[in-house]
């Protein structure tokens, strides 16, 4: 196509086909879808951020409300303490008024009395604070509005407005009331606050030491008798005899003199010791040729001896020797020279060791003795 704009000039415009192909249509549709997805994603993120911001704001607001609530509770408690102090002052003021003590009332109103220095703490230099008659609040600054400028004509006390110079601003004598006095001592401690939240339980402590054992209790009642047990096996055979003993008698029935040194050599076993049933007992003792008796088994023994004399001497006697040491002795005297027969007996308990030697000796030498078996003898009996 050719278009003429001016004489001598011409512009040729090519014909362009505006119908898009199929591939171009698909690409365009894909770009549109991606663009829509991005827009939707951004929109979702914006909404999510808004929710997070709103939630954060609510949490912060809740925390501020909690702080404000705690501050309000603290303020109310302080106000309650101040009100209680002012009520006590008002009671004293009314009591003084009833009793007619005007001096105390004046001191209380002008702030020079001791009670006027109690209550809430007042800043120094505040001369515009007044204690109004019948006012239950000692001008805490929360309910009374004051004008600071000297030209003000109105004052508000707890919502009631009155002109300056009101009769409540003057005492009974017509003098203008002055400000409060010096700061009084601190009031009594307030009531205890509510109990706090219980803390976490601590770790268990170490176990203590074992206590002392208690006293033994009373013995219980004996239980029922049990059944008889089975018969046990036979034990070893005990000794044949319950006791061990030995008896030695004179060897012949005639009068003889004791041997050199006074030893008596003429002994023999008693007839019962020679029996077969006592052979084991006889083996516990041995009779030596020198007249000594040897004890083979140690133990506690009763030892005894008797000698029959046939002599006219004034003194006679004998002794029992154990291992060469005199242990027991016996002494007799004659009644008359013609009475020659006399006997002497002695005995006692002694602990003997194994192989101990027993001997009988005449104390006075050259004495004539009778060795009859039933008159002259020596013996031992084991006790333990």
């Amino acid at each position: 196509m050719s278009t003429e704009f001016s004489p001598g000039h011409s512009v040729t415009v090519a014909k362009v086909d505006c119908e898009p192909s199929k591939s171009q249509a698909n690409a365009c549709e894909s770009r549109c879808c991606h663009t829509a997805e991005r827009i939707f994603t951004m929109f979702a993120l914006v909404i999510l951020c808004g929710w997070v911001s709103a939630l954060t704001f609510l949490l912060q607001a809740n925390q501020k409300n909690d702080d404000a609530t705690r501050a309000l509770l603290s303020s109310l408690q302080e106000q309650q303490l101040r009100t209680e102090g002012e009520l006590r002052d008002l009671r004293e003021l009314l009591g003084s008024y009833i009793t007619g003590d005007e001096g105390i009332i004046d001191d209380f109103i002008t702030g020079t009395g001791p009670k006027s220095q109690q209550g809430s703490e007042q800043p120094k230099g505040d001369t515009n604070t007044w204690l109004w008659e019948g006012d239950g609040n000692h001008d805490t600054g929360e309910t009374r509005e004051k004008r600071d400028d000297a030209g003000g004509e109105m004052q508000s006390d707890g919502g009631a407005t009155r002109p300056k110079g009101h009769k409540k601003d003057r005492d009974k004598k017509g003098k203008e009331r002055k400000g409060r006095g010096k700061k009084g001592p601190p009031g009594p401690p307030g009531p205890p606050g509510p109990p706090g939240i219980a803390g976490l339980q601590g770790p268990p402590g170490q176990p203590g030491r074992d206590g002392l054992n208690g006293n033994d209790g009373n013995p219980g009642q004996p239980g029922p008798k049990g059944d008889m047990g089975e018969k046990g096996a036979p034990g070893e055979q005990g000794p044949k005899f319950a006791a061990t003993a030995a008896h030695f008698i004179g060897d012949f029935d005639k009068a003889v003199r004791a041997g050199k040194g006074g030893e008596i050599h003429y002994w023999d076993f008693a007839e019962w010791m020679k029996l077969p049933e006592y052979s084991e007992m006889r083996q516990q003792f041995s009779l030596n040729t020198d007249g000594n008796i040897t004890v083979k088994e140690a133990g506690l023994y009763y030892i005894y001896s008797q000698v029959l004399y046939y002599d006219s001497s004034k003194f006679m006697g004998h002794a029992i020797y154990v291992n060469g040491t005199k242990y027991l002795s016996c002494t007799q005297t004659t009644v008359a020279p013609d009475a020659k027969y006399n006997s002497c007996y002695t005995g006692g308990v002694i602990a003997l060791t194994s192989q101990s030697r027993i001997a009988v000796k005449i104390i006075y030498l050259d004495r004539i003795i009778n060795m009859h078996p039933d008159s002259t003898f020596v013996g031992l009996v084991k006790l333990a």
Side-chain angles (χ1 to χ4, degrees):
M1 181 179 63
S2 177
T3 304
E4 292 184 0
F5 291 91
S6 63
H9 297 280
S10 63
V11 177
T12 302
V13 179
K15 183 180 182 181
V16 180
D17 189 5
C18 293
E19 289 293 329
S21 62
K22 186 176 182 180
S23 59
Q24 292 176 350
N26 292 334
C28 181
E29 183 179 357
S30 177
R31 284 194 300 271
C32 292
C33 292
H34 288 305
T35 302
E37 290 177 356
R38 290 192 189 95
I39 293 173
F40 179 80
T41 303
M42 292 177 64
F43 183 75
L45 290 175
V46 169
I47 293 176
L48 180 60
C49 292
W51 277 107
V52 171
S53 300
L55 182 60
T56 305
F57 176 78
L58 290 176
L59 292 176
Q60 293 177 353
N62 189 20
Q63 184 176 2
K64 291 180 179 180
N65 290 335
D66 293 341
D67 295 340
T69 301
R70 285 192 292 268
L72 179 58
L73 289 177
S74 177
S75 176
L76 291 176
Q77 291 178 354
E78 294 178 359
Q79 180 65 22
Q80 180 182 1
L81 295 178
R82 288 193 295 269
T83 304
E84 290 175 355
E86 293 164 0
L87 287 176
R88 285 194 300 269
D89 296 342
L90 182 59
R91 292 192 193 99
E92 295 182 3
L93 179 62
L94 292 177
S96 301
Y97 180 77
I98 293 172
T99 57
D101 192 352
E102 297 181 357
I104 297 179
I105 300 175
D106 294 340
D107 293 340
F108 190 92
I109 295 175
T110 57
T112 58
K115 294 299 181 177
S116 63
Q117 298 179 5
Q118 297 180 0
S120 61
E121 182 178 350
Q122 181 69 22
K124 295 181 179 180
D126 188 0
T127 59
N128 294 326
T129 303
W130 302 89
L131 177 63
W132 299 102
E133 192 175 20
D135 186 6
N137 187 354
H138 280 200
D139 192 8
T140 60
E142 298 178 0
T143 59
R144 178 175 299 168
E145 297 177 358
K146 301 176 294 297
R147 292 179 60 91
D148 293 336
D149 54 319
E153 295 297 332
M154 304 297 291
Q155 278 192 321
S156 173
D157 183 11
T161 303
R162 63 180 180 273
K164 185 176 182 181
H166 192 268
K167 63 177 181 179
K168 289 189 177 181
D169 295 342
R170 299 178 180 276
D171 56 13
K172 290 188 176 181
K173 296 180 180 181
K175 296 181 180 180
E176 187 177 357
R177 292 192 181 97
K178 298 182 180 179
R180 285 196 174 190
K182 297 182 180 180
K183 176 184 176 182
I197 301 175
L200 299 177
Q201 184 177 1
Q206 297 181 355
R209 298 179 179 178
D210 296 337
L212 300 177
N213 295 330
N215 298 328
D216 296 337
N218 298 326
Q221 298 293 334
K225 185 178 180 181
D227 299 334
M228 183 180 294
E230 298 180 357
K231 184 177 181 181
E236 297 181 358
Q237 184 176 0
K240 187 175 182 179
F241 303 100
T244 301
H247 188 75
F248 301 92
I249 59 177
D251 192 15
F252 47 85
D253 185 11
K254 62 179 181 179
V256 296
R257 292 186 181 274
K260 185 178 180 180
E263 296 92 349
I264 299 178
H265 300 165
Y266 317 108
W267 300 114
D268 191 10
F269 288 99
E271 295 299 327
W272 62 268
M273 294 188 68
K274 297 178 181 179
L275 298 175
E277 56 266 28
Y278 298 105
S279 60
E280 294 182 5
M281 186 181 298
R282 188 171 62 249
Q283 292 176 3
Q284 300 297 325
F285 307 91
S286 62
L287 183 60
N288 304 323
T289 57
D290 56 0
N292 291 339
I293 301 170
T294 303
V295 180
K296 299 180 180 180
E297 186 177 5
L300 188 65
Y301 288 85
Y302 175 78
I303 186 172
Y304 60 92
S305 176
Q306 177 177 295
V307 176
L308 177 62
Y309 296 93
Y310 183 72
D311 197 291
S312 59
S313 301
K314 293 183 179 181
F315 298 101
M316 59 198 70
H318 66 280
I320 299 175
Y321 284 77
V322 178
N323 296 325
T325 302
K326 182 167 60 174
Y327 178 64
L328 298 170
S329 63
C330 177
T331 301
Q332 288 284 5
T333 60
T334 56
V335 179
D338 296 337
K340 298 181 179 181
Y341 287 100
N342 201 353
S343 62
C344 188
Y345 176 87
T346 184
V349 178
I350 186 174
L352 301 177
T353 59
S354 179
Q355 304 301 320
S356 295
R357 295 171 64 84
I358 308 298
V360 179
K361 295 183 180 181
I362 302 300
I363 298 176
Y364 304 98
L365 302 180
D366 297 332
R367 296 296 189 267
I368 299 174
I369 60 177
N370 191 335
M371 296 299 296
H372 194 274
D374 60 359
S375 302
T376 302
F377 50 83
V378 61
L380 301 93
V381 178
K382 185 178 181 182
L383 303 178

